[in-house]
Amino acid sequence: MDPTERMLRACRGEPVDRPPVWLMRQAGRYLPEYRRVREGVPFLAMCRDVERAVEVSLQPWRLLGVEAVILFSDIMVPLLGMGVELDFAPGPVLARPLRSAAEVDALRPVDPRDGVPYVFEILRQLRRELVGARIPLLGFAGAPFTLAAYLVEGRGSRHFSALKRLMYREPAVLRALLARLTDLTVAYLNAQIEAGAQVVQLFDTWAGLLSPADYRAWVLPVHREIAAKLDRARAPLILYVNDGAHVLDAMIESGADVLSLDHRLEMAEAARRIGRRASVQGNLDPCALAAPPERIAAWVRELADAARPARGHVLNLGHGCLPDTPVEGVRAFVEAAKALGPAA
Ligand code: CP3
């Protein structure tokens, strides 16, 4: 079974010889080879530099043998096409946070293919590089709620209280912003599929900050709309929610093909609850990659076993690799996945 077939079948819940493996944030500062390409280049310039972005996207495959390549970019990139001014320090920082109806209206509705054409050029080049080896290419987008969190708050935050203040005091403004971002996300992901992405992942990093009721009111309808409007016959959809143990049932109702779980959920229990309704991705704690290789291998075997009640499994972490993630730990994770056999 080739890696593209394995990945697509795992996402759709069809039988596979073993789970495929890749890691969120697999291209990043933990790799000395990434730091070399990145040297002296601001992060956003890297995202726009097609040659560098292609090179660092391919590094984890060439150096570590991961079985999927994800576009190197950032969830904030498509907002640049709408006229949003932002920087990274190291997370996103907005020049002017957005808090009013007039500011939401001022976001330019633009076709992402015109707003950020380099993203699609990176995908087209990656697909050409990967087609011979049959390695699947993944596209991604930030989910509207998480993009809104940065736009309203202006930067990362522990509580995102400005965002929640808007939600409770001026719901119509936040609703208008989410509607605008939902249209953007659908257009952006469908254009990525058009440019060669074979699977797409939606990152809702901050949706887990909401209560189950608020998540159902503000986030679930957005996920459902995106799942309904994507060309999923061509590319299955993976939905990631960080710190989302309390909203797993609502994640299942999103209609996504794969639910990407963080490490706070116990895989066995989550897989039982999900059952045949979706595949699962995850969910080793990224910090656990600091353990000795044989412990990492044991966790990989346990995860693959625990995920069996779900209809399919993609081995991954519960969140992205960190700048201090040991390369040896990533290697052990990938090797252990490849050593897994078919279900007993
Ligand atoms: O997975 C990959 O290898 C693809 C590339 C990718 C990046 N960001 C590159 C990046 C992806 C999929 C993302 C998604 C992203 N970006 C998310 C969702 C996933 C998650 O982590 O929850 C979020 C919330 C962001 C916003 C963001 N971008 C933050 C909070 C930061 C700073 C955190 C950090 O790692 O320092 C970034 C910067 C960023 N995005 C880096 C990379 C490789 C580090 C920049 C650098 O090289 O200095």
Side-chain angles (χ1 to χ4, degrees):
M1 191 168 286
D2 73 52
T4 295
E5 202 185 342
R6 187 179 290 117
M7 180 73 184
L8 291 175
R9 292 179 68 91
C11 290
R12 296 194 167 121
E14 296 157 6
V16 286
D17 51 355
R18 60 169 175 80
V21 60
W22 70 283
L23 294 85
M24 289 189 269
R25 285 280 174 92
Q26 60 190 15
R29 283 166 295 179
Y30 76 97
L31 277 175
E33 291 83 356
Y34 170 89
R35 294 197 299 270
R36 220 165 293 141
V37 178
R38 172 73 213 279
E39 221 175 318
V41 186
F43 178 67
L44 273 178
M46 274 280 287
C47 295
R48 293 192 183 103
D49 182 328
V50 173
E51 197 180 327
R52 281 198 172 83
V54 167
E55 183 178 351
V56 298
S57 304
L58 294 171
Q59 283 177 346
W61 167 53
R62 288 189 171 140
L63 299 165
L64 302 164
V66 298
E67 295 180 298
V69 162
I70 184 164
L71 158 74
F72 180 83
S73 190
D74 192 81
I75 57 167
M76 301 302 284
V77 164
L79 300 174
L80 298 172
M82 297 180 110
V84 171
E85 281 176 55
L86 92 132
D87 219 327
F88 280 81
V93 182
L94 277 286
R96 286 180 305 277
L98 201 149
R99 309 263 163 100
S100 69
E103 287 162 332
V104 172
D105 268 348
L107 288 174
R108 281 202 299 266
V110 62
D111 185 329
R113 289 171 296 190
D114 301 323
V116 289
Y118 42 89
V119 169
F120 309 99
E121 185 53 31
I122 295 166
L123 284 166
R124 284 187 290 267
Q125 290 197 19
L126 283 172
R127 188 63 191 276
R128 283 200 289 276
E129 293 281 342
L130 296 170
V131 71
R134 299 281 302 157
I135 293 289
L137 176 59
L138 275 56
F140 74 90
F145 185 81
T146 289
L147 297 178
Y150 285 113
L151 286 172
V152 172
E153 202 73 34
R155 57 191 314 141
S157 155
R158 193 166 151 75
H159 300 291
F160 283 91
S161 53
L163 171 74
K164 289 188 173 177
R165 197 158 51 239
L166 191 67
M167 196 170 120
Y168 295 122
R169 285 195 183 171
E170 295 192 78
V173 175
L174 183 57
R175 214 164 280 129
L177 176 58
L178 289 173
R180 195 63 79 86
L181 294 171
T182 302
D183 291 345
L184 169 76
T185 304
V186 168
Y188 187 53
L189 287 176
N190 276 332
Q192 290 188 32
I193 295 168
E194 184 73 41
Q198 293 157 291
V199 179
V200 291
Q201 177 154 335
L202 191 62
F203 286 96
D204 220 342
T205 303
W206 300 118
L209 288 174
L210 295 176
S211 70
D214 284 336
Y215 183 97
R216 280 186 178 276
W218 289 93
V219 174
L220 177 59
V222 170
H223 291 171
R224 290 180 64 91
E225 183 175 347
I226 293 170
K229 291 182 174 171
L230 288 187
D231 188 359
R232 287 193 296 131
R234 278 167 78 187
L237 170 67
I238 306 175
L239 171 64
Y240 174 75
V241 176
N242 182 44
D243 212 347
H246 58 304
V247 295
L248 180 61
D249 290 324
M251 286 176 71
I252 296 169
E253 291 169 40
S254 67
D257 299 279
V258 185
L259 304 180
S260 190
L261 311 176
D262 83 357
H263 64 276
R264 297 169 188 89
L265 267 156
E266 197 198 356
M267 179 57 90
E269 197 221 316
R272 268 197 304 275
R273 277 166 64 190
I274 295 166
R276 304 302 302 169
R277 291 180 290 176
S279 300
V280 285
Q281 175 172 271
N283 70 343
L284 188 69
D285 181 346
C287 294
L289 295 179
E294 56 281 5
R295 288 207 61 198
I296 294 173
W299 285 322
V300 165
R301 289 190 295 270
E302 284 168 25
L303 270 179
D305 268 339
R308 245 163 226 149
R311 64 168 206 192
H313 181 210
V314 177
L315 266 163
N316 204 317
L317 304 177
H319 203 163
C321 292
L322 297 164
D324 65 355
T325 295
V327 176
E328 281 323 302
V330 176
R331 205 184 295 278
F333 186 73
V334 173
E335 292 305 312
K338 291 182 172 178
L340 290 171

